[in-house]
Amino acid sequence: MGKIRFDVHRCKGCGLCVIFCPQKNLRMSAELNEHGHPYAQENEPGHCNGCGLCFRMCPDAAIEVDQHRRKTQTQE
């Protein structure tokens, strides 16, 4: 499970994050930021798998991904 945070002020609306999201969980907003660009949004919060592709593809560093994955402990 991952949590995505978008900096809508930095987003230029290129859509690379939307294209590369393997979960197809991102879209561009209908609203515009103060620079006149649509910005990235999640379709369904909570459906992010935390892969980080959106973060890596964003040329403007407008995305931050927190990865919350449960670690399994092996018992010996």
Side-chain angles (χ1 to χ4, degrees):
M1 210 38 119
K3 180 169 174 65
I4 305 172
R5 285 192 294 276
F6 301 98
D7 185 340
V8 300
H9 307 292
R10 293 185 77 145
C11 185
K12 292 182 184 167
C14 71
L16 288 174
C17 57
V18 174
I19 294 167
F20 285 96
C21 178
Q23 301 295 316
K24 304 297 181 206
N25 191 37
L26 301 179
R27 68 172 184 261
M28 298 310 292
S29 68
E31 302 87 31
L32 303 178
N33 63 17
E34 69 270 9
H35 303 293
H37 304 292
Y39 48 88
Q41 296 179 317
E42 272 188 281
N43 288 323
E44 294 185 45
H47 282 83
C48 173
N49 68 0
C51 72
L53 272 175
C54 58
F55 165 78
R56 288 184 293 229
M57 296 309 298
C58 182
D60 299 307
I63 302 172
E64 189 174 314
V65 177
D66 288 331
Q67 296 175 342
H68 298 288
R69 296 182 183 184
R70 292 197 309 199
K71 295 180 181 177
T72 58
Q73 296 179 349
T74 56
Q75 297 178 354
E76 296 181 22

